[in-house]
Structures are given as C-alpha cells and as structure tokens.
Amino acid sequence: MATATPRQRRKDARPQELLDAALALFVEKGFAATRSEEIAARAGVAKGTLYRYYPSKDELFKAMVRDNLSVHIAESAAQAAQYEGSIAELLSQMMQAWWAKVGHGNAGVVCKIMMVEARNFPELARFYVDEVIAPSQNLVGGLIERGIRTGEFRAVPIEATVHMLIAPMLHMLLHEHSFGEVDSCHPTMTAEELLDAQMALLLHGLLVSPV
C-alpha cells in the first residue's frame, strides 16, 4: 500500500495551514486590515497558492466558519435528533458542550471576529447568519418546542427563550477573547459554573413542576 510522500503530506496540510495563518492575522490586525499576501507569507506560500485553495479572503473566512462552527452545530443537531431523554438535561449538556468546543480556542475567536466585522461586511454577515446563527437558533428553539409538546416545559415564547439561552454564552465568549488576557478582568467564577447557574434559573421557569 503506497504511503504519501512528504510533499503530498505537505500539500494535504496546506489548507489548514492557510486557515491558521489567516486566523492569527485576523486576531492581530482585524479582518479588514489583513491582506491576502500577508496570509500567504505567514503560511510560507506564494499568494497564488493561497488563491488556489481560497479564491478570496471572504472564501477563506467562510471556510474558517465552516471548520470551526458549522461542524459543531451539525454534530449537536444529529445528537439531539436521536436523544430520547429529558430535554432539560439535553439543553444543559448541550450548553456545556458548546462552551467546551466553541468558547475556547479558534471557534470562539471566529465568532468574535464576525461580531466585530459584520457591519462592514454585509455579505459575510448574511453568510454567518445562514451558516451559524439561524441553525443554532433553530436547534435550540426546536428543543424548547419539543419540551413544550411533550409536557416537560410550560408554554413559553420560544424565540425570546432562545435568546435568553444564547446571550450569556455570547457575553462570556466576548469577555474571554477581549479581556481574557487582562489580569484585572479575570472572572471570579468559571464559565461552567455560570452556565450551571443560568440553566438552573431558566429551567425552573420552564418546567411545569419545578424541582
């Protein structure tokens, strides 16, 4: 069985190397201020090589969103579709898992970049809404609706409840990737502890018979 040559392995790894280089520069300079040739140079390739994989900086950012965010939403949706237990427990597990996957690292950085740059790049903002925001809201909203339908939750305004669930996560994400390196701004509790408190408060308002 033939093994890949070092050249082939390098070629296979190149898309991820370009994404990593782009992300590092977007964090340092912002999306708008980063030029394609800078990304290519950071990745150690010619600008033509960058365009071979990603025809534009916008397409590169879209690939970054798909690799760091869309994949997690799809995984969560697949798990939720097969889940047969308590919706309250599933929501709690999903929020904790989402923070573990998205709150830290590249995924959280991508979220922050989009929130900062969206106003200046409406086409990318629309893409982000279609790829991340709408699927996330549909997933969480669908679970709340499911809980109401089965009698686990009382009837609540679904859209408002979705925002109540997601908003604290976005707040934590922005804090993590804006103030996280400032010593005086470290929170006195972990994100996991905050999520536990949020879910306990919200779910006691959702359950038909609070426990």
Side-chain angles (χ1 to χ4, degrees), residues 122-154:
E123 194 275 330
L124 278 183
R126 284 191 294 271
F127 164 81
Y128 191 84
V129 168
D130 292 340
E131 194 77 15
V132 176
I133 295 177
S136 297
Q137 292 180 346
N138 290 339
L139 172 58
V140 177
L143 289 175
I144 296 168
E145 186 176 10
R146 188 166 141 193
I148 295 171
R149 190 170 59 249
T150 60
E152 183 178 358
F153 297 160
R154 64 182 177 84

Side-chain angles (χ1 to χ4, degrees), residues 8 37 42 47 68 80 107 127 133 149:
Q8 181 61 44
E37 50 264 40
R42 177 69 65 94
K47 186 165 69 169
N68 288 284
F127 164 81
I133 295 177
R149 190 170 59 249

Side-chain angles (χ1 to χ4, degrees), residues 175 179-180 182-188:
H175 189 281
F179 296 98
V182 181
D183 291 338
S184 60
C185 293
H186 285 313
T188 57

